[in-house]
Amino acid sequence: MQGVTSNDFSSAQGTPRHDLESSPAATVSAGPGPGPAPEDLLRRLRARGAADPVTHVERVPARAGVPAPWPPWASAELRAAFATRGVVAPWQHQAEAANLAYEGQHVVVATGTASGKSLAYQLPALATLLADPRATVLYLAPTKALAADQLRAVAALELEGVRPACYDGDTPRAEREWIRRHSRFVLTNPDMLHHGILPGHAQWSGFLRRLAYVVIDECHTYRGVFGSHVAHVLRRLRRQCARFGATPVFVLASATSGDPATAAGRLTGLPVTAVTEDASPRGGVTFALWEPPLLPPESGSAAPVPPGSSSPVPPQATGDDFPLPVPPQADGGHSSLPAPPQADGGHDDLRQVRRSALRETADLLADTVAEGVRTLAFVRSRKGAEVVAANARRSLDEAVPGLGDRVAAYRGGYLREERRELERALLHGDLLGLASTNALELGVDLVGLDAVLICGYPGTRASLWQQAGRAGRSGQEALAVLVARDDPLDTYLVHHPEAIFGAPVEATVLDPANPYVLAPQLACAAVEAPLTPADLALFGDGAKEAVDELVAAGALRQRPTGWYWRHRERPEVDLRGEGGAPVCVVESSTGRLLGTVDGGSSHFLLHPGAVHLHQGVSYVVDDLDLADGCALVHAEEPDWSTHARDVTDLSVVSVRSYVDAGPVGMFLGEVDVTSQVVSYQRRRIATGEVIDTRPLDLPTRELRTVAVWFTLSPQSLTLAGVQPADVPGALHAAEHAAIGLLPLMATCDRWDIGGLSTAVHQDTEAPTVFVYDGHPGGAGFAERAYATASAWLRATRDAIAECGCETGCPSCVQSPKCGNGNNPLSKPDAIRVLDVVLANLPD
Ligand SMILES: [Zn+2]
Ligand SMILES: [Zn+2]
């Protein structure tokens, strides 16, 4: 391959997986590996049950790389340094992006996992540092681990005078000044930029004055509210650079994503050119879509709720979605409900029609481990990862006592020492199977996996490809399996493989105009330097209004020279903190810190009485101290699981935009959502039987957010054949499925959004379905739903219509987080409702 032997920054030398990117061999052999060939392995896995669970097998072929010559500006010294790391020439996309950046264009390179994106920014950045002994580079990664990986990669090049250094919360005080004064390649994260570097810009003036490049790695992770915050941190950075006379070039690296130029432009506020053609070589992957089998009726007790429940007001203690005046209880999703159903361990035994994805994944994990196949199972929730690991361990131990020890769970909430130990064990082969949350997606050096199991669609095609990209070592063939959960989106996807393999990945969504982000960010900016009218343009839409509100609130004072921060203390703004500070989980008897749970989830997962799993060990919460941010637990393994419920009310604050489509109205606007976790159910793990419902005394939480909603005239529903008594069930079912399908359109998942449906809403005075962002001020999801309304609701309608069930199931209209016990729901009437909307709504 024309001298391109490898673009591998090399695993052997301990450089990051992140950069391990292009596989070493430009061509791929399916030769004998450490485990069986993926096709054989898959054949054995799918032959276990009576029915074949595989709905589709996609061969993702191996791809040869397309090399490019070194850019003429890359010095011999730089080429030689890369050559020692095994890079003999760049791939085409790397050279293209590097050339654009070197010419001074802002550029985003958006290509697959392991495609060598880092060379695209390292080349122009390092070439500039070598050519201009004064220039500096700032590198931003979403996690400290990733920055540390990148530091190792840059340091390994041993380039004279670059002096790369990490500057983050772990950097010893003693080293910080040296870094500020001498490092020319500073690696950090947006949080440190926000909390440390920008407030201390005076100390950084020398560095910022000479800033040539800002590298933003894994920029697709800056989405939603966090992404909107980061967008303003970057504007603050640009403002400080401009004050010192610098105009750095931004180079961004993204996972494959839809319209990366627009997303990168929103993030940086600059025009950005995208490079998306992946020219790196890749090993082949056998990718199977797997739908767990239906359970026999008696064990699946799941009795889908009968359509058109005769009682319009179900006797639920927690209220319900409709009709008023009972406050509509809804499908509360938001940051407070991040956990998928399986997180509730034991849910899988309840009212499900299909075998749970968790159990299926646990079995697959046990089977692959028994075959000696090094396997990583991605599970969406931390509890789910624990459950999968525990079940796989149990099955393996039943087969061969002791074999279970080779499987473990891994998740973000673990303490650092635990994580390091698990990584080490997997790398050394002491562990063969790991069940993980997506914590592994970023910056952890894990290679050499023969199979990847993905338990439930991870929410975006970008994540799916990132996770699947873990499979395959050294260009060898590998197996990836997506195990569908019993929900509308997963079911839709395993039966519409074209939506996975034939569709572009989704766009990264963020909304810098979110006033809940903009105002605090402007306050931070004002502390750094008084705001001027010119700054308002930099911060974009809504900045003037936000400044006016800050003045009215007494936070800013207007003077002839600008707006000044009035207080002694800096505003406290947490970029990731809309869910509140993490809550520590502490074992009361020993005082041992078991881990943390994010604040937004704490009411749901750590309420008194909640069953909490850690490394397969079960704990019960004695007390949740919200003031101290800590939950006290004791070890106990009851035979029930717990399921928290909340009640929700919603009112319309304002309408931003709407479409008047005759009997149908489609709206985008601000809403107030009030919710409170009020009770929890205890359910028998073995049978799913509800033991009891216990009240909780937790404070309400208010959410001002953005919603999309549609209304229909009662007459149009009657004409479509929906009986008045069935309207609540019809709307409710349509709402559930619409929430389930929204992730097809936006980079969110159903746990980011909530919904509420009602036969008459006090503000719309019509049958209405609301779908709202679960984040203060909105995260752009509802906006995206509004912008793609007909495509979104078309997919929703098709997903319901194509589901094989008769009366509605978790794969179509039932929701795992329904605050109303999935009652009433009417599947056929939901299709009628959506038909009315689609018939009237312009495309
Ligand atoms: Zn169904
Ligand atoms: Zn519901």
Side-chain angles (χ1 to χ4, degrees), residues 65 123 174 200 216 305 309 675 682 706 736:
L123 255 185
I216 305 175
V305 176
S309 157
S675 66
R682 299 191 303 156
V706 178
H736 280 182

Side-chain angles (χ1 to χ4, degrees), residues 321 331 732 736 818:
D321 294 9
D331 299 292
H732 190 201
H736 280 182
C818 183

Side-chain angles (χ1 to χ4, degrees), residues 163-380:
R163 299 185 291 271
C166 275
Y167 189 91
D168 58 35
D170 294 344
T171 308
R173 295 267 157 207
E175 291 174 22
R176 293 188 176 190
E177 190 184 344
W178 185 92
I179 292 170
R180 284 194 296 265
R181 293 165 69 104
H182 300 295
S183 174
R184 297 173 61 218
F185 197 122
V186 171
L187 303 102
T188 186
N189 52 64
D191 310 80
M192 194 63 181
L193 182 58
H194 163 66
H195 288 295
I197 296 175
L198 287 170
H201 57 81
Q203 293 173 302
W204 285 89
S205 60
F207 181 89
L208 294 176
R209 178 172 293 124
R210 298 175 282 129
L211 190 58
Y213 287 98
V214 177
V215 176
I216 305 175
D217 208 353
E218 304 281 356
C219 68
H220 59 279
T221 58
Y222 303 127
R223 65 178 190 91
V225 173
F226 177 48
S228 306
H229 270 294
V230 173
H232 288 297
V233 172
L234 295 175
R235 283 157 179 76
R236 285 161 51 201
L237 173 65
R238 287 174 49 209
R239 192 169 78 114
Q240 290 303 327
C241 288
R243 289 180 64 224
F244 296 124
T247 49
V249 174
F250 283 69
V251 188
L252 302 96
S254 168
T256 310
S257 73
D259 201 1
T262 299
R266 265 195 159 188
L267 185 64
T268 58
L270 294 163
V272 180
T273 306
V275 173
T276 56
E277 196 71 29
D278 192 337
S280 66
R282 176 179 69 191
V285 176
T286 298
F287 203 138
L289 304 184
W290 187 287
E291 184 173 45
L294 285 164
L295 291 170
E298 59 274 20
S299 61
S301 68
V305 176
S309 157
S310 53
S311 160
V313 185
Q316 303 276 329
T318 52
D320 66 85
D321 294 9
F322 31 76
L324 297 167
V326 180
Q329 155 59 7
D331 299 292
H334 43 87
S335 48
S336 61
L337 258 183
Q342 59 245 48
D344 302 333
H347 170 93
D348 40 328
D349 297 291
L350 187 76
R351 62 162 72 181
Q352 278 201 327
V353 175
R354 293 190 179 277
R355 196 154 186 272
S356 87
L358 281 182
R359 292 189 161 190
E360 200 76 352
T361 304
D363 283 0
L364 288 170
L365 181 60
D367 288 350
T368 54
V369 166
E371 297 237 12
V373 172
R374 217 181 284 199
T375 307
L376 180 56
F378 284 105
V379 187
R380 300 201 355 152

Side-chain angles (χ1 to χ4, degrees), residues 646-670:
D646 68 348
V647 293
T648 303
D649 193 12
L650 183 150
S651 61
V652 174
V653 178
S654 65
V655 173
R656 253 191 224 176
S657 175
Y658 70 96
V659 177
D660 181 354
V664 171
M666 179 68 66
F667 299 82
L668 179 72
E670 279 79 36

Side-chain angles (χ1 to χ4, degrees), residues 321 329-331 732 735-736 815 817-823 825:
D321 294 9
Q329 155 59 7
D331 299 292
H732 190 201
E735 174 221 316
H736 280 182
S815 166
K817 62 178 192 187
C818 183
N820 201 41
N822 280 305
N823 184 27
L825 290 174

